Amino acid sequence: MKFGVIVFPGSNCDLDAYHLVRDVLGAPVEYIWHAERSVAGFDCLILPGGFSYGDYLRCGAIARFSPVMPAVVEFARRGGLVLGICNGFQILTEAGLLPGALYSNTSLQFRCRDTILRVENNDTPFTRGLPPGQLLSIPIAHGEGNYYVDPETLAQMEAKGQIVFRYADREGRITPDANPNGSVGNIAGVCNENRNVLGMMPHPERAGEALLGSTDGLLIFKSILEYWEGCR
Amino acid sequence: MWRAEIKVLLKKSVLDPQGRAVENALASLGYANVNRVRIGKYLEVTIATPDRAAAEAQVREMCARLLTNPVIEDYTFTLVEVEA
C-alpha cells in the first residue's frame, strides 16, 4: 500500500507525516506537489497540517483550488482513502469532501497541547483497530479548529456514524472543559458518509513514537494499513 | 466597470468569538447599551464589464465559489460604477 503526502505551499507537517509513514509505520510513501494533476498509483492520500497559501481569506479556501485537488476529489469519490490533518481537515471541508466548517477557536487563542480523544466510531478504515470509547492522547496545534455544522446536518451525521472523534476528559467524559476550541459536540474528527475520507484537527503524526510522549496516533495509521491488507 | 463592495459576516447562528470579545471590551468602557458586535470582512473587487446584471451575477458566483463559505458566512454587496 502506497501513501502520498500532498505538499501545498505553506504545508508544515508534511515531513512529520512522511517520517511517520516511512520510518515508523514502515510503508512506502511519496510527496505529491500541489501542482501535480494526478494521484495515480497511490492508495491513501494525506493532506497535512500547516498554513497552506498563508490561510489567506479562510483556512484552506485557496488550497482547495490547487491543481492537484480535482484529482484528490475524484480519488475520494471513487472510494480512495483520504486523511486530512489540521489544515488538511480545513481543506477537505472547503473542498466539500467533508461537511461543516472550521473557524476561529472561541478562546481566540492558538492552542498547542495534548488532548484526549474518544473514539466514537470504530467502523471506519482509520479506526477499525480501536475499541469504541477508547481514549487516545494526541496533540492539537491550531487557532482555527472550531468545528461548526448546522444542527440538522449534525443530527444526520450522528445517525450515520460520521462523528469519529470527540475531545474528552481523562475519564472519557465529553465536557465543556475538555473542548479546546468550541467545536459543536466536542467534535475533533469526522468522516464522510462512505467513511473513506477522515478529517481531524489533532495531529496523529506527532504521536507515533514514545519519544514524543504518545504512540496513540500510530494506531490510526496501523488501522489504515490493516484495513488495506484486509481488502486485498 | 464596477466596484463590488462586499461585506461578509458570520451567520447569526454561528458564534463570533471576536465580536464577543469586543462586545465585552465596549461594556467595560461603560457602553451599557451595546448588545451585539459582529466582526466580518470587507472586500472590494473591481470587475471590467459594462453590464450591471453580468457584474452582479459574477459577484454571486465568486462569493459562492471562493469569497465566502456558505456553511458559516452570509454576505451582502453593492455595486458602484467606476471609471475604467
Side-chain angles (χ1 to χ4, degrees):
Chain A
M1 145 167 230
K2 189 161 140 195
F3 287 78
V5 177
I6 300 185
V7 183
F8 298 95
S11 291
N12 65 12
C13 301
D14 42 345
L15 273 75
D16 307 52
Y18 184 95
H19 162 71
L20 186 97
V21 173
R22 188 188 65 178
D23 304 325
V24 186
L25 190 67
V29 57
E30 275 178 32
Y31 291 116
I32 304 171
W33 182 235
H34 73 110
E36 295 289 333
R37 292 184 185 271
S38 165
V39 293
F42 292 95
D43 305 306
C44 178
L45 301 178
I46 298 173
L47 280 69
F51 298 87
S52 56
Y53 295 87
D55 275 352
Y56 300 140
L57 191 63
R58 294 180 309 279
C59 307
I62 298 177
R64 163 256 195 286
F65 291 104
S66 275
V68 76
M69 284 307 290
V72 174
V73 171
E74 180 57 23
F75 178 84
R77 295 253 150 90
R78 281 193 281 141
L81 298 177
V82 180
L83 170 60
I85 301 166
C86 198
N87 194 225
F89 183 12
Q90 295 161 340
I91 295 168
L92 292 176
T93 60
E94 283 282 341
L97 287 174
L98 291 173
L102 294 142
Y103 76 112
S104 176
N105 295 351
T106 46
S107 64
L108 295 170
Q109 290 170 338
F110 190 94
R111 288 277 163 88
C112 182
R113 63 169 171 84
D114 288 330
T115 56
I116 296 166
L117 308 184
R118 192 175 78 185
V119 178
E120 301 292 299
N121 182 356
N122 69 339
D123 188 16
T124 81
F126 310 93
T127 54
R128 65 198 295 276
L130 305 166
Q134 169 146 358
L135 303 181
L136 305 175
S137 173
I138 299 183
I140 55 163
H142 61 247
E144 303 188 59
N146 185 353
Y147 183 74
Y148 175 83
V149 67
D150 66 78
E152 299 83 60
T153 311
L154 178 62
Q156 287 169 18
M157 290 172 70
E158 283 179 338
K160 290 172 183 162
Q162 289 178 253
I163 315 303
V164 181
F165 301 115
R166 292 186 206 265
Y167 300 108
D169 69 11
R170 293 191 177 282
E171 276 74 49
R173 293 172 303 204
I174 307 303
T175 63
D177 282 349
N179 188 337
N181 51 31
S183 293
V184 292
N186 281 40
I187 289 173
V190 302
C191 65
N192 62 343
E193 273 188 59
N194 290 336
R195 304 184 180 179
N196 62 304
V197 179
L198 172 71
M200 61 190 296
M201 287 310 298
H203 288 271
E205 82 284 10
R206 294 189 191 175
E209 292 158 279
L211 183 67
L212 300 177
S214 169
T215 54
D216 291 351
L218 183 60
L219 299 173
I220 292 170
F221 291 89
K222 279 184 170 165
S223 177
I224 296 171
L225 205 54
E226 281 163 21
Y227 166 83
W228 184 259
E229 280 161 6
C231 284
R232 294 196 328 172
Chain B
M1 187 143 111
W2 299 90
R3 182 175 68 234
E5 300 177 349
I6 307 166
K7 291 178 193 167
V8 184
L9 272 182
L10 286 170
K11 285 182 175 175
K12 288 203 171 70
S13 56
V14 177
L15 176 76
D16 174 1
Q18 259 194 99
R20 187 62 64 83
V22 172
E23 202 176 288
N24 292 340
L26 288 171
S28 71
L29 289 175
Y31 296 100
N33 58 353
V34 171
N35 39 45
R36 202 167 199 203
V37 177
R38 308 285 287 170
I39 298 180
K41 293 173 198 157
Y42 172 73
L43 296 89
E44 282 187 356
V45 181
T46 54
I47 304 168
T49 173
D51 182 31
R52 184 185 183 100
E56 217 173 283
Q58 191 179 329
V59 170
R60 287 187 207 287
E61 185 185 303
M62 293 189 300
C63 283
R65 294 185 67 196
L66 173 65
L67 301 180
T68 76
N69 181 338
V71 176
I72 47 172
E73 295 171 328
D74 285 328
Y75 68 94
T76 55
F77 69 94
T78 52
L79 283 176
V80 180
E81 194 157 22
V82 291
E83 296 286 312

